[in-house]
């Protein structure tokens, strides 16, 4: 009679005085104390009527109580369904209908809106706030420190994580005990986690990265984590000297590099920096090494598959790649249209197979059929190729592929050229409707701070090329050194065939990103959908 996740990740905490969670104020919570919280949460879930296999939705801030709620779900055999606290009641309504959770634990501010919705769907609602207080906590306080552990099989569901999907309705990836545990073991070994490690945990826990990659790796290795409510650069700079590993999204690293206090001395005893969830610019990789002497370890995964590939701990960490497949994980590259295998070095659809891959999409058998091939490989939707040493290079999502005048343009290839031009901080290359080409390549650029001139200065000197900047809230007028656009054009001419070159450059103060630091290309496509139609009209 077992519960694999509990037995391997949580049971070992029993009787442990060693800190599991460390906080910014210097206080700690021992493994044993956390386990007691988890058992109280499990008992509270049972009081709420939760039985094994029931879904428990949580739309709460990142607190130890929220993490204990997840652990409580493992103990009670429930399926944990974390939701971004930023979702509106209408968005939450969709998950209530789709997943029909027995219980929704919600921030008190959202409880009123949720209760009406939940009542209509037979879901009970309890509250838990950013300080870990609320009706759910009060219920937990009345429960015993230990109790029964639900029996679960390897294939039983442990979590339902909705993908951030950019199109269509969100899909709930069904993650089994085996999916999560196999990846926890693999990552703890691949990244050489040990009991002395202190992970600086600044990621959200409603997403696979912070919830599973970070937390499970710590639990699987007897390590501990400095548990921060979110990313706060000052807090990170203060706490890095107490940590040995940082897991982050690329924006963590660019924000740290933007601060002169982030230097070699500060991280003298850090042993590992991991990046994932969005592409790390090769330039960031190099700048980080120059500043710190560390090479960031980039890995690749997704909600549906957990982690698939990782640059090696001991071997070469190659900038611009996400490394070879993790042990036990198979990667194949096939023709996106016909599904036939492609030769090494050829770009195609990335497929994944292994114990890490989810069981399919909740309530969406059709989508599950589309996502899995008969041979068990999962179609990731990511395009990429394997280099000569089987390191995977991702070139973008298939949905981001641009087909201009019948030719395929991989955004990353263009973005790399743009990002390498001095004065360009970052770029996002998208395809937007074009009267002649069907789709045209458009580059959305962010300039290095010093590269922009003030609009007034331009008016006085008559220098510069005026470019309209579509800022998120306000439209600003920005003027760029003509030299910068000329340098970009020259770099494009040198490196890329004409059909791959952007037909327009637009400048923005920052790229729109989601909570995981991913550039929201769908939003950019929407924003610039009329760009060429509008310019055609303007040209008339
Ligand atoms: P999510 O399900 O939110 O974790 O998003 C998964 C997607 O993020 C993948 O399918 C990739 O497109 C992207 N992704 C994750 N890690 C990386 C990485 N290291 N480099 C580039 N893209 C990544």
């Amino acid at each position: 009679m077992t519960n694999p996740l509990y037995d391997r990740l949580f049971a070992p905490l029993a009787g442990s005085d060693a800190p599991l969670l460390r906080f910014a104020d210097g206080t700690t919570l021992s493994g044993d104390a956390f386990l007691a919280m988890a058992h109280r949460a499990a008992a509270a879930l049972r009081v709420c009527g939760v039985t094994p296999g029931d879904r428990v939705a949580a739309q709460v801030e990142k607190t130890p109580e929220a993490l204990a709620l997840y652990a409580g779900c493992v103990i009670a055999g429930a399926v944990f369904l974390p939701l971004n606290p930023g979702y509106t009641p209408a968005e939450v309504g969709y998950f209530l209908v789709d997943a029909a959770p027995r219980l929704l634990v919600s921030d008190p501010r959202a409880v009123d809106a949720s209760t009406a919705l939940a009542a209509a769907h037979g879901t009970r609602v309890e509250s838990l706030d950013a300080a870990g207080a609320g009706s759910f906590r009060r219920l937990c306080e009345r429960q015993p420190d230990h109790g029964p552990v639900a029996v679960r099989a390897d294939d039983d569901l442990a979590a339902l994580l909705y993908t951030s999907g950019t199109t269509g309705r969100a899909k709930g990836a069904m993650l089994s005990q085996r999916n999560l545990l196999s990846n926890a073991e693999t990552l703890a070994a691949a990244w050489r986690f040990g009991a002395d490690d202190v992970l600086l945990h600044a990621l959200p826990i409603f997403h696979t990265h912070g919830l599973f990659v970070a937390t499970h790796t710590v639990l699987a290795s007897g390590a501990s984590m400095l548990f921060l409510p979110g990313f706060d650069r000052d807090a990170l700079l203060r706490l890095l000297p107490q940590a040995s590993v940082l897991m982050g999204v690329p924006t963590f690293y660019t924000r740290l590099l933007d601060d002169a206090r982030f230097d070699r001395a500060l991280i003298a005893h850090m042993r590992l920096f991991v990046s994932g969830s969005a592409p790390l610019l090769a330039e960031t990789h190099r700048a980080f090494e120059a500043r710190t002497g560390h090479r960031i370890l980039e890995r690749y995964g997704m909600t549906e598959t957990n982690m698939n590939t990782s640059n090696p701990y001991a071997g070469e960490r190659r900038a611009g790649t996400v490394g070879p497949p993790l042990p036990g994980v198979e990667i194949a590259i096939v023709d996106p249209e016909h599904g036939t295998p492609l030769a090494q070095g050829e770009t195609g659809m990335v497929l994944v197979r292994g114990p890490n891959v989810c069981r399919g999409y909740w309530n969406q058998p059709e989508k599950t059929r589309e996502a899995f091939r008969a041979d068990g490989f999962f179609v990731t939707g990511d395009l990429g190729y394997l280099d000569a040493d089987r390191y995977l290079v991702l070139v973008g999502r298939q949905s981001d592929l641009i087909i201009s005048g019948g030719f395929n343009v991989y955004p990353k290839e263009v973005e790399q050229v743009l990002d390498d031009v001095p004065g360009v901080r970052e770029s996002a290359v998208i395809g937007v409707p074009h009267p002649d080409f069907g789709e045209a390549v458009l580059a959305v650029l962010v300039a290095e701070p010093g590269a922009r001139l003030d609009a007034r200065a331009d008016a006085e000197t008559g220098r510069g090329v005026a470019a309209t900047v579509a800022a998120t809230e306000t439209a600003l007028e920005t003027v760029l050194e003509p030299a910068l656009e000329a340098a970009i054009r020259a770099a494009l001419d040198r490196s890329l065939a004409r059909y791959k070159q952007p037909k327009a450059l637009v400048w923005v103060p920052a790229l729109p990103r989601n909570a995981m630091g991913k550039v929201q290309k769908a939003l950019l496509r929407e924003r610039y959908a009329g760009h060429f139609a509008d310019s055609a009209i303007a040209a008339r």
Side-chain angles (χ1 to χ4, degrees):
M1 290 302 196
T2 57
N3 176 319
L5 272 176
Y6 179 80
D7 297 345
R8 175 68 182 87
L9 301 185
F10 297 103
L13 298 174
S16 166
D17 291 338
L20 172 65
L21 300 184
R22 301 164 185 270
F23 304 103
D25 63 2
T27 57
T28 61
L29 187 73
S30 72
D32 195 57
F34 178 78
L35 188 64
M37 280 172 74
H39 274 286
R40 286 196 291 270
L45 292 175
R46 291 189 199 102
V47 170
C48 294
V50 172
T51 58
D54 283 345
R55 276 76 56 213
V56 172
Q59 192 190 23
V60 292
E61 295 298 335
K62 181 180 173 186
T63 57
E65 287 74 14
L67 193 62
L69 173 59
Y70 161 60
C73 285
V74 173
I75 295 171
V79 180
F80 187 58
L81 194 180
L83 295 171
N84 187 330
Y87 284 147
T88 62
E91 286 166 322
V92 172
Y94 167 76
F95 300 111
L96 295 183
V97 174
D98 196 54
R102 174 80 61 194
L103 173 70
L104 167 66
V105 183
S106 186
D107 192 280
R109 282 171 303 164
V111 157
D112 285 345
S114 306
T115 306
L117 268 169
H121 301 291
T123 299
R124 175 171 170 157
V125 180
E126 298 290 341
S127 67
L128 193 62
D129 69 13
S135 67
F136 189 72
R137 161 86 165 261
R138 289 193 293 279
L139 197 55
C140 289
E141 280 164 358
R142 297 198 292 273
Q143 309 305 319
D145 279 2
H146 52 267
V149 176
V151 174
R152 299 267 84 191
D154 283 339
D155 280 337
D156 283 335
L157 296 194
L160 189 57
L161 259 58
Y162 281 82
T163 58
S164 40
T166 47
T167 49
R169 61 190 189 110
K171 293 174 286 186
M174 300 190 287
L175 295 157
S176 70
Q177 289 242 340
R178 186 207 315 269
N179 296 153
L180 300 179
L181 191 51
S182 67
N183 219 234
E185 306 264 21
T186 302
L187 296 180
W191 297 340
R192 312 245 176 116
F193 264 71
D196 292 338
D197 271 315
V198 179
L199 171 76
L200 190 44
H201 193 310
L203 291 160
I205 56 168
F206 58 78
H207 185 269
T208 185
H209 194 167
L211 182 60
F212 299 134
V213 182
T215 303
H216 278 183
T217 309
V218 164
L219 289 166
S221 56
S224 64
M225 49 193 155
L226 263 160
F227 204 66
L228 303 188
F231 180 88
D232 166 350
R233 183 164 60 189
D234 288 338
L236 250 70
L237 290 170
R238 193 162 55 77
L239 296 169
L240 271 166
Q242 298 171 34
S244 63
V245 182
L246 175 66
M247 288 187 194
V249 294
T251 41
F252 279 26
Y253 296 109
T254 49
R255 287 184 200 168
L256 286 172
L257 284 170
D258 275 346
D259 198 303
R261 291 172 294 172
F262 183 67
D263 62 12
R264 241 169 238 252
L266 188 82
I267 54 157
H269 76 299
M270 286 289 288
R271 73 170 183 88
L272 181 61
F273 294 88
V274 182
S275 177
S277 290
L280 181 77
L281 297 182
E283 190 185 310
T284 310
H285 196 281
R286 285 191 287 270
F288 196 88
E289 185 175 15
R291 176 89 66 90
T292 66
H294 279 273
R295 289 176 77 82
I296 297 173
L297 184 155
E298 189 174 8
R299 93 304 178 274
Y300 155 62
M302 56 195 305
T303 301
E304 290 95 325
T305 63
N306 298 288
M307 298 305 104
N308 301 316
T309 70
S310 169
N311 271 280
Y313 187 80
E316 189 200 346
R317 298 180 195 164
R318 239 171 246 181
T321 83
V322 291
L326 281 159
V329 179
E330 291 172 84
I331 296 278
I333 309 288
V334 299
D335 181 298
E337 224 175 293
H338 307 106
T340 45
L342 292 179
Q344 179 268 314
E346 285 186 320
T347 297
M349 176 60 69
V350 179
L351 306 182
V352 185
R353 186 165 66 181
N356 51 313
V357 179
C358 75
R359 292 185 44 197
Y361 295 113
W362 178 263
N363 263 347
Q364 300 200 53
E366 193 69 2
K367 295 275 179 216
T368 303
R369 266 194 298 281
E370 282 169 21
F372 284 91
R373 303 192 341 158
D375 56 9
F377 270 105
F378 176 79
V379 183
T380 62
D382 288 312
L383 299 172
Y385 64 91
L386 291 165
D387 75 8
D389 300 314
R390 293 191 61 73
Y391 281 54
L392 180 65
V393 180
L394 295 173
V395 301
R397 302 274 308 155
Q398 187 179 33
S399 50
D400 294 333
L401 178 74
I402 304 162
I403 305 180
S404 187
F407 293 108
N408 284 0
V409 181
Y410 298 104
K412 189 172 173 191
E413 195 185 352
V414 187
E415 288 161 4
Q416 271 167 344
V417 175
L418 296 169
D419 295 343
D420 278 349
V421 177
V424 174
R425 164 154 265 212
E426 56 177 354
S427 61
V429 166
I430 53 170
V432 293
H434 187 281
D436 278 346
F437 298 100
E439 245 186 336
V441 181
L442 180 134
V444 185
L445 297 149
V446 179
E448 286 292 358
R452 282 208 217 122
L453 289 180
D454 184 76
R456 279 179 308 258
D458 176 68
E460 278 160 24
T461 61
R463 291 185 316 129
V465 176
T468 304
V469 173
T472 319
E473 265 109 30
T474 46
L476 323 164
E477 199 84 277
T478 297
V479 173
L480 296 159
E481 291 263 30
L484 183 51
E485 290 213 359
I488 291 172
R489 287 291 168 201
L492 291 166
D493 280 340
R494 264 197 313 278
S495 322
L496 298 175
R498 184 63 67 181
Y499 74 89
K500 296 181 187 171
Q501 298 186 13
K503 302 236 170 331
L505 309 174
V506 293
W507 297 89
V508 295
L511 296 175
R513 292 181 188 276
N514 71 7
M516 298 310 293
K518 275 195 239 293
V519 175
Q520 294 171 298
K521 288 201 166 173
L523 209 124
L524 288 175
R525 278 194 290 268
E526 229 171 81
R527 192 181 293 166
Y528 296 108
H531 188 87
F532 291 104
D534 297 347
S535 24
I537 293 165
R540 262 185 228 144

